[in-house]
Structure formats: structure tokens, C-alpha cells
Amino acid sequence: MINDGHFKKLLEHANFEEKLAAALPNNDFEKLNIDQTQRPLIYQRLPRQNLSLKPGFDHFETILSKALLKTVCSLYPYKFEKLKTKVCLFTYVMEGLGDLAIQKRLFHLFKKKFPNIELSLITLIRTKYHDYVRKLSPSHEIIFYENTPSPNLSQKALVLLEQATVICMVPTYFEPLDKEPYKNKLLGIGEYGFYHSKIFHPASPFTSFGVHFLELGLLLEKLPLFTHKDLLDFRDKTTLTYLLKTNSCFTEALELYQKDHNLYFAYLQSKKMHEIYLKLILNIEEESQKNIDLVTTDLSEFIQALQRLLDQKKLNSIQTIEIFFDGKRSRKKLRNSGKHLRLIHLGRLSEKDFLLFLSLSKEPIGIRGNLSLTDAIYLRKAFIYDCPLHCRSFLYSLIDFIELNPEISNTLLPYFHAFDPKAVENGSLEILKNAFKDPLFFMELQMLYDSLINTYDGRNNICNVVAHKIFSVTNNSFRSNEKALLNQFKNRKLTLEELIEQLKISAKNLQIF
């Protein structure tokens, strides 16, 4: 027998996003001249389990409120240049340097948008990354730690936290800040796709980066326009000498290099994606007469993948293989004719050098994590995405955007599904081979990138959320008045248009800036 209550619940959950879209009609946002990047466009699904919405995502008013966050924060007539207060940008770096790059980019964004704010920084980072972090300002406290789950804060860090009006914690959660005396002034912005994590969920006071309608958007950055000439500034001269096959006359060598070599850059993690990437670029270069240089931050998985291809006798177009690691070269000759394949180890790179090789690489670039994917989108480059488990929800939000947005071609879906960690290796490789042979694929990918940048540039949203937090902390009437208006909207006593107009009037009456 069908349980009527259970059936009703399933039906409500099945129509949840449709109901949400009806409450937040895009036409109303257009009439009110709300910028596209600040609208909650319902192109993504909410997480489900056995047809039901996951706990925490089934309360309509909570989801509605979180979906409106970036819109609400955009309504107040902020004059950022007049804002004078203290903000602390706090980053807890656990593994890799992506979080450090996020802190650096936010620092420069805030300095530009909030010229009169006293901006301090606290960076908790493992000792092994000592050479990759430098002070961005005199008020930058860097704390090195070993393998401890909760590093201790220095006395200077405690003073900076105490003095700050708002503490902006990005993108990793640091539990000691989520307690008194810091809790009320803490603004947490989590990693891409963290809207469904237990810390950054919709009912929490925090938010996150990402393209889901519950998130703030992409942390885009205007990246330098590198050319091959910029290779001459690469700080590792030993590797540069090997790459260009000279220790003098670098400029002339560079011209020859560009004629004879195709450069690929890969920053990958899993065994599966290393093998797929190597097979794919060999397939792409099959008809080319140029030599292949694969530069990477980690050689071991590529060497193993290469050995498997050698055992299977699948390197028919390669004459020699060279591996360059730690200033030393090893070489293996396979036959008397063909192209040369070089695997070149770069080690851990500075952000500048990482972006240099990302820019100069032929397509596809091999990437992992959130920020490198954002940079690939900004550079409009095709990529192979080695999706970590914690980034899976971000990937799924991108897939939903492609599938549910009528302006985006669904032919891109197999390409993005190929990066799902659950995808079968051989199936992914064949899908990617077919994509890179199709001229329409590149055109459709460029259209997707344009749409993502126009729809999800989150830089203004991030600054608006920070300014909004400052006023929430410093102005009780601001906070209570906004809450009352939002409650009226959620209880259907105000339309969306009325809510937005009332918030604008409220802002003027409260003399925000």
C-alpha cells in the first residue's frame, strides 16, 4: 500500500526547484535591473538521497533566503571607498597552494574595492610551504605549523582578530574562529561547491564560492597575458636550459623551440587521469610532426603510465623518450625515426610560474581543484579535469548548468561527465578523443565559457557580502529591519518586487554610507 504522506513528501521534493523558480522569477529581476551575476538563477538541482531532498535542503524558506543572499547584498548603495573599518582575511592552508592563491587574490580585490579599509591577513600554512609564501602587507601574520589538526595562533594573530570588525575566513573552516569572542563577526566563505557540506550548508551563517544558485559565483581573476617570451623569466634556469636545449642565446633558441615543439602542461592527481591525459595528447599529436614536451608538477604517475604504454607497444610514432628530473636526464631510444617525447618535472610552482605554463600549454591543459578550473575558464582553454572528491559537487553544478540552461548546447555533457570520478576510464578516453576531433566542440566550449563568465563572475558578490557583514555587525537596526522584510516575503506578505523596493528604501533611511 502506498503511504499517502510519504507520496506527498516525494511529490513536494520532486517539484522543489520548480516552486523555488516560481518564487524567484527571472523576469522580475530583469524589471528591477538586478545584474545577472547577482540573481539566483535556478539552473542547478538540490542534493537528493533516494528521491528525497537531503536533510537541510527540504525547508523551503531556508533555501529561499540563502538563494536571495547575493541579491539582497547587492541592493544597498555601498560607497566602498568611504568605508573605514578593520577586516581580517584569515586562511588556513592544509594541503596544496590553491587556498594561499585564493587569499592573495581576495587581498588584492579588497584593496582595490575597499581602499580605506584597514586590511590585515592571517595565514596558517604548513612549514613545508615556507618558500612559497610571502607577506602581502605589514599587517600579515604568517604562522607555520607541522602536522597538527588545529594549529595554535600567535599573540599577534589574536590581536588582529580582536581588533577586526569582520573576520573573513576563506576558504577552509577553522573551528576556533566559530566560537566566542569571534563568532558574531565571522564571515565564512567556503570552497566551490561547499553549499552542501555540514559547515557551509544553507541554514548556516556562511556561504561559499561556486556556480550553484546558493553560492556567490566564481573567483575570477584578470590573468596576465603570457607569451613564449615570458619563458625566459622562468626562475628555474636549469630546467629552462634543458627545455630550450641551450644555456645561451635563449631568444634564438626560443624561436626554434616554438617551431619544433608542442608544449603541454598537466597538474593532475589520480592514476586514472594521468593515463587518460597521456593517451589523449599522444592521440591529438598523432598526425603532427612536432616533438612533444609534457611539463608537469609530478612525474611518477606519468612514468608509470608511459611504462604501461611501452609494454603494450602503443608508442609507434615516438622515436625517443626523455625524462628530466632534478636536473638530470634519462633517455630511451625506441626506433630510428619519429618524434621525440620529453617528460619534464617542474616541481612545486609559484603562482606566477603556474599561470605561465597554464597559459602557454596547448589544449587540453591538465588541471585539478577549484582555482585552476576557474583559471582555465577565464583563459578559455579546453581542459582535462582530475576532479577531487571534495570538488565533485562543483562539477555537478557545472553539469546541471549545461543540462538545464536552454542556451547551452547539451552536446558538451559527455565531455564534462567524463571527469566524474565514477566514470569508467576507457569510456572517458573515447569521449574525450571524439570531442577534441570535433571542431564544433571548441566553438561550443567557448560559448559555455562566455556564459559562465557573464553569469557567475562572483567578484562583486564577494565584496557586497563583506560590506553587508560589516553593517550587520555594526548596526542592529539594519540587521533586524532586513530580517523582518525577508520574513514578510517568505510568508508571502510581500512580492519579490516589493521586497527589493522596501530593502532599497530601508537602506536610504538607515543612511548606509
Side-chain angles (χ1 to χ4, degrees):
M1 175 182 279
I2 297 175
N3 183 311
D4 287 345
H6 183 61
F7 180 75
K8 183 181 178 182
K9 179 183 175 183
L10 287 177
L11 192 61
E12 286 177 357
H13 286 198
N15 297 322
F16 199 92
E17 289 89 351
E18 187 178 338
K19 181 182 176 183
L20 197 63
L24 302 168
N26 194 38
N27 288 341
D28 284 8
F29 290 105
E30 287 182 2
K31 287 178 193 174
L32 294 160
N33 294 317
I34 303 296
D35 188 84
Q36 183 165 294
T37 62
Q38 293 161 349
R39 302 176 196 169
L41 301 170
I42 316 299
Y43 289 134
Q44 289 85 19
R45 301 173 178 90
L46 291 166
R48 285 174 166 77
Q49 196 169 29
N50 300 326
L51 300 180
S52 294
L53 290 165
K54 284 188 174 181
F57 292 88
D58 53 357
H59 189 261
F60 187 77
E61 285 73 20
T62 299
I63 299 298
L64 188 65
S65 182
K66 184 67 80 170
L68 273 172
L69 176 66
K70 58 188 176 185
T71 304
V72 169
C73 291
S74 74
L75 296 175
Y76 304 107
Y78 302 126
K79 292 183 176 64
F80 291 129
E81 69 279 1
K82 293 187 178 181
L83 184 59
K84 294 181 180 180
T85 190
K86 294 182 179 182
V87 173
C88 181
L89 187 54
F90 185 99
T91 297
Y92 176 28
V93 182
M94 297 179 74
E95 276 300 333
L97 296 172
D99 290 356
L100 187 66
I102 286 175
Q103 185 185 42
K104 179 181 175 182
R105 292 185 187 190
L106 285 176
F107 171 76
H108 291 300
L109 176 64
F110 291 170
K111 289 295 286 184
K112 182 179 179 182
K113 283 283 191 177
F114 305 111
N116 292 311
I117 270 184
E118 290 186 43
L119 185 61
S120 61
L121 303 97
I122 299 173
T123 306
L124 273 63
I125 189 165
R126 292 181 186 271
T127 308
K128 64 182 180 180
Y129 300 127
H130 183 279
D131 294 341
Y132 297 89
V133 58
R134 63 179 180 82
K135 285 197 171 189
L136 298 175
S137 81
S139 298
H140 187 176
E141 175 71 349
I142 301 170
I143 302 168
F144 295 101
Y145 71 95
E146 298 298 336
N147 299 327
T148 174
S150 186
N152 293 322
L153 297 176
S154 65
Q155 188 58 41
K156 182 179 178 181
L158 293 172
V159 170
L160 293 174
L161 291 171
E162 182 183 352
Q163 292 175 343
T165 303
V166 166
I167 302 165
C168 187
M169 176 183 67
V170 291
T172 302
Y173 180 71
F174 187 65
E175 187 177 2
L177 296 186
D178 200 10
K179 299 175 181 177
E180 296 300 339
Y182 313 119
K183 188 178 181 70
N184 291 334
K185 58 182 178 179
L186 181 63
L187 170 64
I189 305 178
E191 293 194 44
Y192 289 51
F194 267 30
Y195 69 92
H196 76 88
S197 67
K198 67 178 183 178
I199 302 297
F200 296 91
H201 60 87
S204 79
F206 304 142
T207 183
S208 58
F209 301 112
V211 299
H212 197 277
F213 62 80
L214 295 174
E215 298 180 310
L216 295 180
L218 301 170
L219 181 57
L220 294 170
E221 173 89 352
K222 187 175 181 181
L223 301 177
L225 297 175
F226 289 111
T227 68
H228 277 81
K229 286 185 179 179
D230 293 300
L231 269 176
L232 304 183
D233 296 326
F234 181 45
R235 65 178 183 174
D236 185 347
K237 298 305 179 188
T238 302
T239 301
L240 183 64
T241 296
Y242 173 75
L243 188 71
L244 301 182
K245 302 179 181 179
T246 183
N247 57 9
S248 62
C249 302
F250 281 126
T251 304
E252 292 177 20
L254 188 60
E255 291 178 12
L256 291 173
Y257 178 82
Q258 289 176 258
K259 290 178 184 177
D260 297 338
H261 293 77
N262 282 331
L263 178 75
Y264 289 88
F265 174 60
Y267 170 63
L268 302 168
Q269 190 169 27
S270 69
K271 172 182 175 180
K272 169 185 169 181
M273 293 311 290
H274 278 87
E275 184 147 341
I276 285 177
Y277 187 82
L278 182 59
K279 288 178 178 178
L280 183 62
I281 65 168
L282 289 171
N283 180 263
I284 290 170
E285 293 290 331
E286 201 166 24
E287 304 299 323
S288 172
Q289 299 304 308
K290 286 190 175 184
N291 299 315
I292 305 167
D293 280 353
L294 171 52
V295 295
T296 180
T297 55
D298 185 5
L299 265 184
S300 57
E301 291 292 353
F302 275 125
I303 292 173
Q304 293 178 49
L306 189 62
Q307 185 59 55
R308 287 190 288 273
L309 291 178
L310 280 169
D311 295 341
Q312 297 163 15
K313 297 182 171 24
K314 290 187 176 180
L315 295 172
N316 298 328
S317 64
I318 303 299
Q319 179 183 353
T320 61
I321 297 169
E322 282 189 9
I323 295 173
F324 184 78
F325 178 78
D326 198 23
K328 297 176 183 177
R329 180 187 72 162
S330 55
R331 188 171 188 266
K332 182 178 180 68
K333 184 175 180 180
L334 304 182
R335 53 187 55 83
N336 293 324
S337 62
K339 67 191 76 171
H340 304 286
L341 170 64
R342 296 194 298 177
L343 271 62
I344 302 168
H345 181 252
L346 298 174
R348 191 168 282 124
L349 296 171
S350 67
E351 185 184 10
K352 179 185 176 183
D353 287 338
F354 181 89
L355 291 172
L356 168 67
F357 285 102
L358 203 67
S359 301
L360 299 185
S361 173
K362 281 200 66 182
E363 298 173 279
I365 49 179
I367 54 172
R368 71 183 198 230
N370 299 322
L371 206 56
S372 55
L373 178 52
T374 306
D375 291 341
I377 291 169
Y378 182 85
L379 292 168
R380 291 172 166 79
K381 288 208 168 204
F383 55 80
I384 300 303
Y385 184 41
D386 193 355
C387 181
L389 288 176
H390 72 274
C391 295
R392 192 183 292 182
S393 57
F394 177 43
L395 174 64
Y396 293 163
S397 291
L398 286 172
I399 289 170
D400 280 349
F401 179 71
I402 296 165
E403 185 177 349
L404 301 177
N405 186 339
E407 298 179 4
I408 304 297
S409 172
N410 278 356
T411 56
L412 289 172
L413 282 173
Y415 169 72
F416 279 87
H417 276 298
F419 306 132
D420 189 332
K422 295 181 290 188
V424 179
E425 182 178 322
N426 290 335
S428 295
L429 180 60
E430 290 308 312
I431 288 168
L432 295 169
K433 282 181 180 179
N434 292 334
F436 281 90
K437 288 177 182 176
D438 182 2
L440 283 176
F441 161 75
F442 290 95
M443 184 179 72
E444 289 166 350
L445 194 63
Q446 297 308 308
M447 292 172 64
L448 171 64
Y449 289 165
D450 288 341
S451 185
L452 286 170
I453 291 169
N454 292 333
T455 307
Y456 294 112
D457 184 345
R459 286 173 289 186
N460 284 334
N461 292 331
I462 294 160
C463 292
N464 288 339
V465 167
V466 171
H468 184 268
K469 181 65 178 180
I470 291 168
F471 277 93
S472 295
V473 169
T474 58
N475 192 320
N476 288 331
S477 57
F478 168 87
R479 187 168 60 248
S480 58
N481 189 70
E482 180 182 279
K483 184 178 180 181
L485 289 171
L486 283 169
N487 283 336
Q488 288 183 59
F489 172 67
K490 289 186 283 188
N491 293 326
R492 297 170 180 78
K493 293 179 181 178
L494 288 177
T495 65
L496 178 63
E497 187 173 351
E498 289 169 340
L499 169 69
I500 289 174
E501 291 301 337
Q502 286 293 321
L503 285 169
K504 288 180 178 178
I505 293 169
S506 173
K508 289 179 182 177
N509 292 338
L510 289 169
Q511 296 184 335
I512 295 177
F513 294 112

